[in-house]
């Protein structure tokens, strides 16, 4: 007998639907004129994200403005690599990075998977952390807004709850009339995506293209490193 269970499949945005490193790498190289091997750009970006995560609660609590938060994370991360950015340069790097984020492309192999789930009648959506306008612009740049209706796109600043709080997944369940046991979340970040969704009772596909190590004892339902691998997973 054919399986008829319909699933709800939600994707993370940054580093799951597109490669977040590309706009950062290209923006930094352009502004600072760095040669390819001058600095390990992936490590630098990792530190930018780290400082961003540390500073974000201050932005959310109104202690820091958004632009100040964004520049500060650049200054702190670049300083760790011996690159002292003054405020003006940090703003230039940030502007070049933002500009490129609105010209991003889907990771190879993502589009057929979105189409496969949508044509199969499954509920498909996005859950992403960040400012509403900024995240929506990236979703539009990817063309994903043409595939996924707006009421299935959940952005933390709009919802008022952010990953890894399991409450955001519970909120999505209520809004989409889905149940945790039929929900699958696909994301790249251990704490926010894997832990958050598992704690909400969802199944989780961990996208791990950079060979990161688990940070807790949680066990993702599936792990994949490319969308070629993903399409072979027995998730349906
Ligand atoms: Mg991500």
């Amino acid at each position: 007998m054919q399986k008829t269970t319909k699933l709800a499949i939600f994707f993370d945005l940054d580093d799951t639907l597109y490669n977040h490193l590309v706009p950062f790498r290209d923006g930094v190289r352009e502004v600072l004129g760095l040669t390819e091997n001058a600095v390990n750009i992936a490590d630098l970006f990792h530190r930018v994200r780290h400082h961003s995560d540390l500073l974000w609660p201050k932005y959310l609590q109104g202690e820091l403005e958004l632009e100040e938060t964004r520049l500060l994370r650049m200054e702190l991360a670049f300083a760790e690599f011996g690159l002292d950015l003054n405020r003006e340069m940090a703003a230039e790097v940030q502007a070049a990075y933002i500009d490129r984020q609105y010209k991003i492309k889907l990771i190879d192999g993502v589009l057929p998977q979105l189409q496969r789930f949508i044509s199969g009648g499954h509920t498909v959506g996005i859950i992403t952390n960040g400012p509403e306008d900024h995240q929506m612009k990236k979703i539009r740049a990817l063309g994903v807004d043409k595939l996924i209706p707006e009421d299935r796109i959940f952005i933390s600043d709009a919802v008022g709850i952010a990953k890894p709080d399991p409450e955001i997944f519970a909120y999505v369940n209520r809004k989409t009339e889905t149940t945790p046991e039929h929900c699958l979340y696909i994301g790249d970040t251990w704490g926010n995506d894997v832990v958050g969704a598992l704690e909400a009772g969802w199944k989780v596909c961990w996208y791990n293209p950079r060979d990161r190590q688990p940070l807790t004892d949680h066990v993702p339902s599936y792990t994949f490193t490319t969308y070629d691998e993903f399409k072979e997973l027995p998730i349906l």
Side-chain angles (χ1 to χ4, degrees):
M1 208 175 82
Q2 211 181 349
K3 263 166 98 178
T4 53
T5 309
K6 295 298 180 197
L7 296 178
I9 301 162
F10 285 85
F11 289 80
D12 168 46
L13 172 61
D14 301 311
D15 268 335
T16 295
L17 293 184
Y18 76 94
N19 185 348
H20 209 161
L21 183 61
V22 171
F24 178 78
R25 180 195 68 200
D26 294 351
V28 168
R29 283 198 186 143
E30 185 203 78
V31 172
L32 301 182
L34 293 178
T35 56
E36 197 147 332
N37 300 317
V39 59
N40 184 322
I41 209 88
D43 288 348
L44 175 59
F45 186 53
H46 195 246
R47 295 306 292 173
V48 170
R49 301 291 302 279
H50 169 77
H51 286 291
S52 192
D53 287 345
L54 292 184
L55 293 168
W56 210 252
K58 293 191 177 177
Y59 155 66
L60 291 178
Q61 286 156 19
E63 287 173 43
L64 286 174
E65 297 287 332
L66 180 59
E67 189 64 8
E68 172 72 14
T69 310
R70 286 170 159 171
L71 299 188
L72 210 47
R73 67 180 178 176
M74 294 291 181
E75 291 164 359
L76 291 167
F78 279 66
E80 291 179 8
F81 289 75
L83 298 164
D84 285 314
L85 297 183
N86 60 32
R87 195 34 66 116
E88 203 179 322
M89 283 167 79
E92 268 185 60
V93 169
Q94 174 63 28
Y97 169 47
I98 286 267
D99 181 60
R100 277 165 182 75
Q101 285 186 71
Y102 302 146
K103 295 168 185 159
I104 47 178
K105 298 204 164 47
L106 287 169
I107 292 171
D108 280 349
V110 170
L111 184 59
Q113 295 310 306
L114 291 172
Q115 290 166 331
R116 167 191 168 207
F117 297 137
I118 292 165
S119 64
H122 303 284
T123 299
V124 177
I126 292 176
I127 306 171
T128 176
N129 277 4
E132 186 176 15
D133 180 53
H134 180 52
Q135 299 305 84
M136 266 321 292
K137 279 186 186 163
K138 290 187 279 186
I139 288 167
R140 284 192 207 103
L142 294 170
V144 172
D145 60 314
K146 306 255 183 354
L147 301 171
I148 297 177
E150 212 165 309
D151 61 3
R152 290 184 189 162
I153 297 174
F154 296 89
I155 302 174
S156 64
D157 280 15
V159 173
I161 315 165
K163 300 179 291 182
D165 189 339
E167 262 309 306
I168 191 167
F169 297 95
Y171 176 91
V172 169
N173 280 143
R174 289 195 297 277
K175 288 289 178 184
T176 59
E177 298 180 337
T178 53
T179 54
E181 5 6 313
H182 292 115
C183 281
L184 177 72
Y185 190 58
I186 299 154
D188 67 292
T189 303
W190 187 265
N192 279 355
D193 302 333
V194 177
V195 175
L198 284 175
E199 291 285 332
W202 289 35
K203 291 192 179 65
V204 176
C205 259
W206 184 30
Y207 176 42
N208 185 23
R210 295 187 184 120
D211 197 27
R212 298 239 162 85
Q213 297 306 306
L215 302 172
T216 61
D217 293 336
H218 294 78
V219 181
S221 320
Y222 310 96
T223 300
F224 66 104
T225 61
T226 67
Y227 278 89
D228 258 353
E229 269 177 46
F230 176 83
K231 71 178 186 216
E232 304 299 336
L233 297 177
I235 56 177
L236 293 181

